[in-house]
Amino acid sequence: MPTPSAPLPDDLAGLHDAVVGWFDDHARDLPWRGTSEVLPDPWPVLVSELMLQQTPVVRVLPVFEAWMERWPTPADLAAEPSSEAVRAWGRLGYPRRALRLHAAAVAITAEHGGRVPGDHAALLSLPGVGEYTAAAVASFAFGQRHAVMDTNVRRVLARVVLGQAYPSTSITAAERRLAQALLPADDAHRWAAATMELGALVCTARAPRCDVCPVADRCRWLALGRPDHDGPPRRGQAWAGTDRQCRGRLLAVLRDATDPVPKAALDAVWDDAAQRERCLDALLDEGLAQVHADGTFTL
């Protein structure tokens, strides 16, 4: 096992028990989760992980439920055109994720007999599946021992173990070694889910609820008096007037239309012509939109 760059807590088993015990009592009942006894089906886990990237649970839930009702297996999704995936994605944002999920469903159907693979390397080979998603699916759906490092997990480990308000902007090798060293020998997938939930519900970014935290007595950041973040300024993502907003407006027109859309209908939703054309070109290049011979557009 790689040696972590930071000292591990003295009572690592106690830390595990406190966090997982809290999770058993307070975990949200989410449709892609299993139980302490039964692992969930891998397909809903994969779908949820792609939907949850940079998107809160409350926005994902209705889209996820409609998606799973329509496409309960990868083969069901693979049988439909990718434009239907983009349409069903609705207003979750970052719609390229819909294309990646469709492409993953096609690969799963063609190369893995319609079943999400459990092998970590096979998961990584799927379109749109990176290191985090592969680790999450292998852990949550197959009970494997992987360090699952989303923003919530990283924040919990930064505070409890390192005494820092926030982790670094990007994951470092030292952070990976620490997360790996903290994994329990057994039921590491429960630890992964529990630390993620703790970060989402208690050890939040802006208003941590240290008074109800199950590891407050073990938290180095709390013991140090909750020192302020001393790294680069943390800036929220801008939205108004950005290319993201413009792309969203254009896609909304295409998504809501039942017939091909004339260019004038797209021009009407964004005043800045140069920005609008740039964003429309990007949607065409990425396969999120297509233009027909008569000059109309569809998903």
Side-chain angles (χ1 to χ4, degrees):
M1 177 185 297
T3 302
S5 301
L8 297 178
D10 292 335
D11 182 12
L12 197 52
L15 175 65
H16 293 151
D17 289 345
V19 174
V20 174
W22 171 86
F23 180 71
D24 289 339
D25 292 335
H26 297 90
R28 290 168 292 183
D29 182 14
L30 300 175
W32 49 81
R33 275 190 178 152
T35 67
S36 57
E37 293 83 23
V38 180
L39 293 172
D41 181 85
W43 174 238
V45 174
L46 177 58
V47 171
S48 69
E49 287 300 335
L50 284 173
M51 286 187 173
L52 287 164
Q53 292 172 9
Q54 298 178 286
T55 309
V57 167
V58 68
R59 290 185 59 205
V60 164
L61 275 170
V63 179
F64 172 87
E65 290 169 350
W67 188 285
M68 294 307 303
E69 182 176 354
R70 181 174 179 180
W71 299 307
T73 71
D76 294 320
L77 176 58
E80 296 214 37
S82 60
S83 59
E84 287 303 300
V86 176
R87 195 182 308 279
W89 199 258
R91 289 173 169 76
L92 281 184
Y94 302 100
R96 277 175 289 182
R97 293 179 293 169
L99 293 181
R100 291 167 185 162
L101 189 48
H102 183 273
V106 171
I108 291 166
T109 303
E111 301 168 17
H112 301 282
R115 299 180 64 85
V116 176
D119 179 72
H120 184 264
L123 285 165
L124 271 176
S125 73
L126 296 175
V129 173
E131 178 60 40
Y132 164 76
T133 303
V137 175
S139 178
F140 300 148
F142 295 97
Q144 297 176 15
R145 191 173 184 271
H146 294 280
V148 182
M149 302 179 66
D150 82 336
T151 302
N152 290 315
V153 172
R154 296 180 62 218
R155 186 169 57 252
V156 168
L157 300 188
R159 288 174 178 172
V160 173
V161 181
L162 302 178
Q164 300 170 356
Y166 300 104
S168 59
T169 304
S170 57
I171 299 176
T172 65
E175 192 179 0
R176 290 189 186 278
R177 290 194 297 270
L178 174 62
Q180 190 69 33
L182 285 168
L183 288 176
D186 300 316
D187 292 332
H189 64 289
R190 296 291 288 167
W191 163 256
T195 49
M196 187 177 295
E197 191 79 336
L198 186 64
L201 299 183
V202 175
C203 193
T204 59
R206 294 180 177 82
R209 300 164 59 211
C210 298
D211 56 318
V212 298
C213 179
V215 291
D217 59 337
R218 305 167 186 268
C219 179
R220 187 177 179 192
W221 183 60
L222 186 58
L224 292 172
R226 296 179 31 159
D228 292 335
H229 178 61
D230 61 359
R234 298 173 60 83
R235 296 184 176 89
Q237 290 186 328
W239 171 251
T242 62
D243 282 4
R244 277 188 60 214
Q245 186 183 30
C246 178
R247 287 160 56 99
R249 294 268 184 90
L250 297 174
L251 274 178
V253 174
L254 300 177
R255 185 176 56 246
D256 295 341
T258 56
D259 297 314
V261 172
K263 180 64 162 53
L266 298 174
D267 293 344
V269 299
W270 198 262
D271 291 335
D272 186 327
Q275 185 180 25
R276 184 181 64 241
E277 294 304 312
R278 180 176 70 246
C279 291
L280 182 56
D281 286 345
L283 293 177
L284 294 169
D285 289 343
E286 293 164 15
L288 287 165
Q290 57 182 325
V291 61
H292 302 281
D294 63 355
T296 59
F297 294 80
T298 58
L299 288 176

